[in-house]
């Protein structure tokens, strides 16, 4: 693999060298380079420097320009305004850099410096409960971050912290003991996610009704919780049946979302039970946690309730039971000490921000987190309906995730069918799934995670605007051109001049690596989505202004095919990092 420096970094380096040569007294100064609509780039750093050196900025700028060596990268540099530099790059440099990118499997994107191990906690459904629209964001954002970080060379450990423990299992297990066939399958060889979930749903509702109406059953269910917590074998075996049945359902949903969830990565709340006692002991002995009214608590100066009294993080309740905090702190210990994590990312609803702030601060006081090991909550906002209120069905129920995905696939299939000229029914179904699931993921990932977003399927599967369908069609259109090219092959010709829309497209393709690095380091996949949308838009402009197969000369045809091909590869790679497919025909 060959890492290719971006044009921006090359120009940045040339300017920094020229600044040092022209103004040795300035030391190493930053030219403050940015993209510009007047030229390819603008450098504004000389203004601040002139102020510091008490000189005339325009004169300093002229000095810097004189110190720049004549070469084949910079075509034109002009001093404008009070001392800005407007910089235009040569066409040859653009095509040459893109050719170097095209020659590399990774499009010339380097691995990041100083990579380590990140544990990312995402997609956390609850056992014996239906996944709803709220589970969608954690899964989609988490999966994209895993892919982006792995692409930069980070070692990523996935963790699905499923809700598989708690008092409700007493009720479920007791009911199953008294009605042993409730989780049986029609055909043990083929069990669909739908069948598994309807079994669990039916059992949950029936056991809940009995629990609420029958005092004796309620008492038996409570005793069963004690059996579960003390590790009784028969009770644990039945508990495991609920976990296994739920996994059949979870995996069917993740499969529909085109996401790989692997068994060893599913470590639920129960996975940390053996550590809870010791976690509490360490916190108490080190003085991080103190006893208050019988409970083991951690207090914070800046967390107070409406009455002005401190609100603690309760690690162990006064009745000896453990809350989420004990599990979350044990998970941090495990991830840092056993998995060797340098970074912990939690893709969790923003409404849990206070809980995680307190958990992270507690872990810092205990020394599990420090300057070398950090924890971050990648908090996400709420999914809203078209009306701007939290997304519910007409009956006011939470929306089942499966229904939502099925509807997205159905809408997308209709869009594909309308446009498809030569696709079989089977191909339409396959593309419909790719477009529908892609639409749902992209709508989520193109919004900054912290913001709420409106779930509007009509908008999501629209061919116009900032949607994944628009990007997928741009990709398919390029593939169609490449198929029609006959003998002409995509090939870079650095001596050919570029039209304005070719230059704009080429400069944007060159920024792919920088964008991935930014999305990875700030945990913001929406930056990559925005880049890809702009890439497709710039390609659309290029396509409408520059004939590809009917260009003036054979060399120009090849050069434009080369631009098409590299755009498609960049779209394909970028979309894959978001977990979205790019069908070659649509």
């Amino acid at each position: 693999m060959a890492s290719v420096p971006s044009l921006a970094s090359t120009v940045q380096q040339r300017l920094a060298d020229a600044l040092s040569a022209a103004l040795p007294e300035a030391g190493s100064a930053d030219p403050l380079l940015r993209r510009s609509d007047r030229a390819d780039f603008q450098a504004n750093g000389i203004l601040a420097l002139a102020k510091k050196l008490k000189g005339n900025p325009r004169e300093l700028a002229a000095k810097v320009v004189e110190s720049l060596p004549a070469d084949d990268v910079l075509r034109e540099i002009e001093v404008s305004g009070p001392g800005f530099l407007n910089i235009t790059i040569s066409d040859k440099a653009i095509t040459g850099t893109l050719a170097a990118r095209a020659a590399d499997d990774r499009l010339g994107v380097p691995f990041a410096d100083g990579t380590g191990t990140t544990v990312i906690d995402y997609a956390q459904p609850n056992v014996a409960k239906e996944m709803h629209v709220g589970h969608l964001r954690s899964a989609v954002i988490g999966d994209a971050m895993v892919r982006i970080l792995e692409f930069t060379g980070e070692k990523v450990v996935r963790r699905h912290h499923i809700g598989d423990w708690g008092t409700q299992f007493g009720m479920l297990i007791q009911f199953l003991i008294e009605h042993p066939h409730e989780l049986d399958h029609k055909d043990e060889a083929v069990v669909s996610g739908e069948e598994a979930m309807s079994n669990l749903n039916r059992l949950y509702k029936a056991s809940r009704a009995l629990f609420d109406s029958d005092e004796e059953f309620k008492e038996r269910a409570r005793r069963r919780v004690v059996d579960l917590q003390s590790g009784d074998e028969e009770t644990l075996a039945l508990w495991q049946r609920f976990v296994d049945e739920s996994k059949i359902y979870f995996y069917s949903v993740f499969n529909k979302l085109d996401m790989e969830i692997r068994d060893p990565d599913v470590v639920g709340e129960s996975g940390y039970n053996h550590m809870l006692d010791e976690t509490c002991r360490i916190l108490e002995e080190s003085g991080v946690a103190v006893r208050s009214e019988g409970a083991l608590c951690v207090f914070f100066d800046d967390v107070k309730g409406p009455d002005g009294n401190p609100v603690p993080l309760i690690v162990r309740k006064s009745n000896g039971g453990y809350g989420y905090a004990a599990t979350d702190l044990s998970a941090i210990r495990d991830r840092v000490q056993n998995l060797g994590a340098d970074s912990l990312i939690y893709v969790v609803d923003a409404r849990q921000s206070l809980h995680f702030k307190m958990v992270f601060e507690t872990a810092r006081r205990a020394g599990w987190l420090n300057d070398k090991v950090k924890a971050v909550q990648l908090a996400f906002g709420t999914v809203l309906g078209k009306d701007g209120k939290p997304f519910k069905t007409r009956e006011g129920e939470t929306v089942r995730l499966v229904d939502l995905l099925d509807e997205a696939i159905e809408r997308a299939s209709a869009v594909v069918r309308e446009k498809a000229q030569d696709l079989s029914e089977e191909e339409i179904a396959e593309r419909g799934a790719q477009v529908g699931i892609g639409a749902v993921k992209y709508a989520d990932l193109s919004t900054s995670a912290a913001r709420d977003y409106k779930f509007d399927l009509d908008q999501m599967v629209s061919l116009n605007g900032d949607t994944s369908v628009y990007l997928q069609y741009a990709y398919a259109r390029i593939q169609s051109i490449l198929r029609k090219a006959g003998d002409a092959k995509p090939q870079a010709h650095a001596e050919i001049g570029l039209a304005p829309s070719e230059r704009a497209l080429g400069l944007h393709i060159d920024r792919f690596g920088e964008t991935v690095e930014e999305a990875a380091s700030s945990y913001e996949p929406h930056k990559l989505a925005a880049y890809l949308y702009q890439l497709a838009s710039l390609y659309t402009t290029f396509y409408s202004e520059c004939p590809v197969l009917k260009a003036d000369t054979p060399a120009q045809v090849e050069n434009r095919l080369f631009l098409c091909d590299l755009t498609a590869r960049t779209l394909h790679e970028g979309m894959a990092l978001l977990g979205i497919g790019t069908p070659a025909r649509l």
Side-chain angles (χ1 to χ4, degrees), residues 62-137:
K63 254 188 178 172
V64 172
V65 173
E66 276 166 40
S67 307
L68 277 164
D71 62 20
D72 52 5
V73 175
L74 306 173
R75 186 170 82 192
E76 190 185 331
I77 299 184
E78 58 156 16
V79 178
S80 86
F84 299 130
L85 294 181
N86 284 339
I87 299 150
T88 305
I89 292 179
S90 72
D91 293 353
K92 190 175 181 181
I94 294 175
T95 306
T97 297
L98 295 182
R101 292 202 177 289
D104 179 57
D105 285 346
R106 287 173 53 88
L107 302 172
V109 179
F111 289 109
D113 297 333
T115 49
T117 299
T118 294
V119 176
I120 178 160
D121 185 326
Y122 68 108
Q124 310 104 344
N126 292 314
V127 165
K129 287 210 177 133
E130 187 107 52
M131 287 174 74
H132 56 78
V133 67
H135 292 116
L136 178 69
R137 296 207 74 183

Side-chain angles (χ1 to χ4, degrees), residues 213-520:
S213 63
D214 180 337
E215 280 304 316
E216 287 176 4
F217 176 75
K218 187 183 268 188
E219 191 43 47
R220 292 197 297 278
R222 286 189 170 145
R223 282 203 300 273
R224 189 58 61 182
V225 176
V226 179
D227 294 340
L228 177 65
Q229 288 173 339
S230 60
D232 170 64
E233 275 186 27
E234 182 204 7
T235 307
L236 277 176
L238 290 166
W239 167 80
Q240 190 62 50
R241 281 194 67 188
F242 282 98
V243 175
D244 293 343
E245 192 78 6
S246 299
K247 279 184 177 177
I248 296 172
Y249 161 68
F250 296 158
Y251 291 174
S252 73
V253 177
F254 290 125
N255 200 23
K256 192 166 278 197
L257 273 167
D258 194 19
M259 266 182 209
E260 184 196 22
I261 299 262
R262 301 182 298 229
D263 232 29
D265 304 335
V266 180
V267 182
E269 292 169 29
S270 64
Y272 305 99
N273 283 352
H274 65 288
M275 300 175 71
L276 301 178
D277 203 31
E278 195 185 4
T279 297
C280 291
R281 188 176 57 73
I282 294 169
L283 291 172
E284 190 169 10
E285 284 176 5
S286 61
V288 173
V290 294
R291 295 199 182 218
S292 170
E293 295 172 26
L296 188 62
C297 302
V298 183
F299 288 91
F300 309 88
D301 293 337
D302 57 346
V303 185
K304 294 191 169 56
D307 53 5
N309 292 332
V311 176
L313 182 70
I314 299 175
V315 187
R316 192 175 54 223
K317 302 173 195 163
S318 53
N319 67 2
Y322 298 103
Y324 289 127
T327 308
D328 286 334
L329 288 162
S330 299
I332 290 178
R333 273 178 60 213
D334 176 57
R335 291 164 186 186
V336 174
Q337 292 162 2
N338 300 331
L339 300 176
D342 312 291
S343 306
L344 305 175
I345 305 176
Y346 291 78
V347 189
V348 183
D349 190 317
R351 287 171 291 198
Q352 294 188 42
S353 294
L354 179 62
H355 169 77
F356 279 102
K357 180 183 159 186
M358 291 158 84
V359 165
F360 296 162
E361 176 55 31
T362 301
R364 264 191 288 278
R365 292 180 190 175
W368 304 325
L369 297 176
N370 49 45
D371 295 344
K372 294 193 176 69
V373 185
K374 62 170 181 178
V376 178
Q377 182 192 358
L378 205 176
F380 55 83
T382 309
V383 181
L384 308 173
K386 283 187 196 179
D387 57 2
K389 295 189 178 123
F391 200 39
K392 297 266 195 270
T393 62
R394 289 204 182 94
E395 297 73 45
E397 310 238 330
T398 42
V399 179
R400 296 173 67 217
L401 185 50
V402 177
D403 293 344
L404 212 66
L405 299 178
D406 286 343
E407 193 182 342
I409 291 170
E410 203 178 302
R411 297 273 185 99
S413 301
V415 171
V416 173
R417 177 174 280 110
E418 203 176 302
K419 294 282 265 186
Q421 274 100 34
D422 50 357
L423 296 180
S424 66
E425 274 305 308
E426 198 181 332
E427 286 172 319
I428 289 174
E430 186 196 324
R431 306 290 194 281
Q434 281 181 305
V435 172
I437 296 301
V440 170
K441 287 184 179 182
Y442 186 84
D444 193 325
L445 294 168
S446 56
T447 311
S448 161
R451 289 175 47 196
D452 298 343
Y453 87 101
K454 282 189 184 171
F455 197 94
D456 179 351
L457 274 176
D458 294 327
Q459 176 50 41
M460 288 180 192
V461 298
S462 160
L463 297 171
N464 307 314
D466 188 0
T467 64
S468 68
V469 194
Y470 176 69
L471 304 182
Q472 286 168 323
Y473 267 102
Y475 179 81
R477 173 189 282 165
I478 297 173
Q479 295 308 322
S480 159
I481 293 170
L482 294 171
R483 285 194 297 271
K484 285 180 192 151
D487 295 339
K489 292 280 173 280
Q491 199 181 338
H493 291 274
E495 71 289 346
I496 291 181
L498 300 175
S501 59
E502 289 177 286
R503 291 178 57 85
L505 178 60
L507 285 166
H508 190 69
I509 292 173
D510 187 49
R511 288 177 54 203
F512 177 62
E514 289 170 14
T515 307
V516 171
E517 185 194 354
E518 227 180 286

